[in-house]
Amino acid sequence: MYVVMIASECAPVSKVGGLADVVDGLSRELANKGHKVEVILPYYDCMNLSTIGAAINDFQNNSVQVSVQCNGKQLLSTVHSAVIHDNECFFIKPHSQERYFDRGIYYGQRDDDERFTVFCLSAVEFLSETGRRPDVIHCHDWQSALVPVLLKTKHRHSALSQTKTCYTIHNIWHQGKTSEKVLKMADLEQVVTGKDSIVDDSDHAYINLMKGGITYSDIITTVSPKYASETMTNQMGEGMQKTLSKYSDKYTGIINGVDYDSWSPATDKLIPFNYDIDSIEDKYKNKEHMRKKMSMKQDFKPIVSVVGRLDMQKGVHLIRHALLYSLNNGMQFVLLGSSPDKEIDIYFHHLKHYLKDNHDCHIHLSHDEELAHLIYAGADMILIPSLFEPCGLTQMIAMRYGTVPVVRNTGGLSDTVFDAEVSVKPVTDRNGFSFDDFSYDAVSLALKRASMTWHEKPHTFREIMLTGMRTDYSWGASADKYLSLYNRISGKW
Ligand code: ADP
């Protein structure tokens, strides 16, 4: 099988969140299974090129040029290439006065719709011009949603007409709602007709890029079975429920995998003390080290942690509540998070200032990969009180490190975390604590149950930790599910 991934992020070079880990992890696993995989990404000026070990000059010299029609004018892009984790990756660098990807930032620009329209146009042109004929093109989120639209309309008679498309929704909140200008930019006005293909379901004045991806792809996936069913409901579909229900026969949920090459306590180079199931006591050396590094008190208390983007999806007010609740109820708390949202950032900086003399907690407000590893290894619990969670990686990573998840019952959290006390699962599969309501009381109660178990039933707590460590959330099984979908649409392999 020959698969091309087209996405706006890929770890480790360009990572904002879980999307980057998925593109990297799935690509690597497909390649491990003997398939040919290539990845197409934007060439952001803020990419972390040092992580791929390529000298910047070699990387830049190894390039081809492509030209696309954009707003009726020729737009030239250079496509650089590099190998990341054994997969060939191509980076598209458009040359225009807009400096689309030279903004020192990945997203959040007023013209994001234009930036990623140019990316999609150039990616398809690159495949076409260089004679690449993949069996499947796999696109991710709204930023690459225009690719299936282009393939099924403008390119339907081109050499890429046999190529099938898979489109994955990583987060239904970000749909790429924009104006008709992107259709004009991509010269699609004449070919994309009819309200039902790309016009927003709720507001007909808008173009909805995600809807275009859904309509024109051969298969649609999202990142957990529970989230697939949630996104077809009025409560959680964010206006896309009608379209997703219409295409439910080509829509399915596949849980993301974790890349255990990067995330295994036995081999992790970013933690001071490696350990596994048989040497779990060494986890507590990491706890001690983390406390020292963070100037926290050494005390007989569990440490609750949060690692994640701080935005409304992640339940920021519940995180703040949990922190204060933990400190008042015999627990310590470590928070690692960052937020592009100014108000949320200020909210947490105030909290950090307020608690600056409290040696039972540590708040670190930035993105810090190394610290994330130490926290997964050093904490006893990880809290994830999300309003919604398409899949969630942090609970699965944490479990590998014997850190017990305390999560809200939603999306992929429901599919992966089974409450120690109340679950339909057998006791031997129970790996954490969960709660239903998006409320202070529900978070407090779940933390109370986890903390009581830690204090009063250490043997049970240890069993919960071990169950999480034993569970296999690697990419192997998930990649097989993607392969069987690719096979279904391409008729190959
Ligand atoms: P999302 O994709 O919604 O951001 P996920 O749980 O799917 O959330 O993935 C989050 C990924 O980003 C994990 O690998 C987590 O360790 C990492 N991460 C999130 N915030 C930070 C941070 N502040 N510093 C380091 N890593 C982070």
Side-chain angles (χ1 to χ4, degrees), residues 353-373:
H353 182 71
Y354 170 66
L355 292 166
K356 65 180 188 314
D357 298 324
N358 190 318
H359 294 289
D360 274 328
C361 76
H362 182 81
I363 299 177
H364 194 96
L365 298 174
S366 71
H367 190 97
D368 190 327
E369 195 71 25
E370 193 167 339
L371 198 57
H373 284 251

Side-chain angles (χ1 to χ4, degrees), residues 15 33 39 43 62 81 91 122 128 294 349:
K15 173 167 167 170
K33 288 178 187 288
V39 185
Y43 187 126
N62 193 3
S81 69
F91 298 86
S122 311
S128 175
M294 296 178 172
H349 270 101

